[in-house]
Amino acid sequence: FGRMRVGVERFRDETGHECFQQGPPKADAALQVQIIEDLIAQKVDAICVVPFAVEALEPVLKKARSQGIVVISHEASNQINADAIIEAFDNHAYGAHLMDHLARYMGHEGQFATFVGGLTSQSHNEWIDGALARQKQAYPKLEQVAERIEDYDNRNLGYEKTKELLTTYPNLRGIQGSASTTAAGAGLAVEERGLQDKVMVVGTGLVAQCRQFLESDAVKLISFWDPADAGYAMNQIAVMLLEGKELAHGMNLGIAGYESLRQDPTKPNLFYGSAWVDVTKDNLDDYDF
């Protein structure tokens, strides 16, 4: 979200719109609801939100829309009370993409575990759904021994739970993380035990958090979408709707990965980009966040 703020402020500077980012000090849906209540009271024109828990936000987002506030969601493909939902990519395809990498690093066999930030995180669960569907379809020699371990977007908790995993499952060969903090936490546990050649860690992450572990091979690959671009895209969509413009399949936002948005055939307000980026120790110097 620190990186997302960069995109929000870039949009503000380039367009002249009054844009700002707010968030609670921890991943807590109730605190997020309170922030949105405050924004409604301020009578903002639009709210762009990345929900910690989609269902928990439905009532307050419904309230916002009832008062004429445009609502844009991100990482929330099942959001009901949103005028538009913009996703960096199709979540199931992203999860399958990470599973392809994990299977390759594991030599297509062995035990693995999956992590989510929280069981209420829609995007994280869709990533794991996509990963497990791909595993069952293409990698029958992979065995999942622990599914959807929650680390609440907390690197230290990811570290502790990985240590527990390594003790419980001495033959563990792979970890697929979802929260941006998981790869770094798991990487630290793997690095401390010198298991870089045995336990393969892949997942969503940022170079700023994972550089040390990519360099030491404790994390094999991270993937991400640039949150700055996502923040910019959400604000751009909000302004388009405020100006009465229609959103359409194939529209080009002029942002890398969002040049030809795909409209969901069953949910017309849901749009997908193709904005994921893979990073290993070979190209980590290409990114400074």
Side-chain angles (χ1 to χ4, degrees), residues 187-223:
L188 178 58
V190 169
E191 186 178 81
E192 282 185 348
R193 298 197 182 192
L195 296 174
Q196 290 95 320
D197 294 332
K198 181 182 178 184
V199 181
M200 313 298 151
V201 177
V202 306
T204 304
L206 295 175
V207 171
Q209 298 171 323
C210 296
R211 171 178 288 275
Q212 168 189 339
F213 309 111
L214 288 165
E215 290 176 336
S216 73
D217 241 11
V219 173
K220 295 297 185 286
L221 176 142
I222 57 172
S223 191

Side-chain angles (χ1 to χ4, degrees), residues 94-286:
Y94 179 68
H97 172 75
L98 288 177
M99 176 54 67
D100 287 337
H101 283 298
L102 181 63
R104 175 171 59 86
Y105 285 115
M106 291 175 62
H108 302 101
E109 63 181 354
Q111 297 179 341
F112 72 97
T114 57
F115 278 74
V116 293
L119 292 176
T120 59
S121 172
Q122 178 69 15
S123 58
H124 291 188
N125 281 286
E126 288 183 354
W127 297 346
I128 299 304
D129 288 345
L132 297 182
R134 177 61 59 87
Q135 181 264 313
K136 290 179 174 62
Q137 170 198 28
Y139 309 114
K141 292 185 178 180
L142 266 58
E143 176 194 1
Q144 182 176 223
V145 293
E147 181 180 358
R148 300 176 208 253
I149 300 167
E150 292 182 285
D151 60 14
Y152 301 100
D153 295 68
N154 184 307
R155 170 179 155 162
N156 290 335
L157 194 53
Y159 164 69
E160 294 295 339
K161 293 204 171 187
T162 300
K163 288 199 299 182
E164 293 173 10
L165 267 178
L166 295 173
T167 299
T168 304
Y169 302 101
N171 294 319
L172 189 73
R173 293 272 295 134
I175 292 172
Q176 179 170 328
S178 298
S180 65
T181 52
T182 303
L188 178 58
V190 169
E191 186 178 81
E192 282 185 348
R193 298 197 182 192
L195 296 174
Q196 290 95 320
D197 294 332
K198 181 182 178 184
V199 181
M200 313 298 151
V201 177
V202 306
T204 304
L206 295 175
V207 171
Q209 298 171 323
C210 296
R211 171 178 288 275
Q212 168 189 339
F213 309 111
L214 288 165
E215 290 176 336
S216 73
D217 241 11
V219 173
K220 295 297 185 286
L221 176 142
I222 57 172
S223 191
F224 58 87
W225 62 107
D226 188 342
D229 289 342
Y232 195 104
M234 280 195 290
N235 279 277
Q236 188 163 329
I237 292 288
V239 170
M240 290 173 68
L241 291 179
L242 287 168
E243 293 176 346
K245 296 178 180 176
E246 290 190 9
L247 308 182
H249 180 78
M251 63 182 171
N252 182 0
L253 299 185
I255 306 166
Y258 301 87
E259 299 98 338
S260 181
L261 295 183
R262 181 174 70 84
Q263 188 174 29
D264 191 286
T266 63
K267 192 171 184 178
N269 68 335
L270 172 58
F271 293 87
Y272 300 104
S274 53
W276 65 56
V277 177
D278 294 330
V279 174
T280 68
K281 63 182 178 183
D282 296 325
N283 66 331
L284 62 86
D285 288 331
D286 294 343

Side-chain angles (χ1 to χ4, degrees), residues 30-45:
L31 294 177
Q32 194 174 36
V33 167
Q34 186 56 57
I35 287 173
I36 294 172
E37 289 280 9
D38 293 343
L39 292 172
I40 293 171
Q42 293 176 40
K43 301 184 184 302
V44 297
D45 296 300

Side-chain angles (χ1 to χ4, degrees), residues 70-85:
V70 167
V71 173
I72 311 297
S73 282
H74 176 60
E75 291 191 66
S77 63
N78 65 333
Q79 192 87 61
I80 296 172
N81 286 288
D83 295 282
I85 304 165

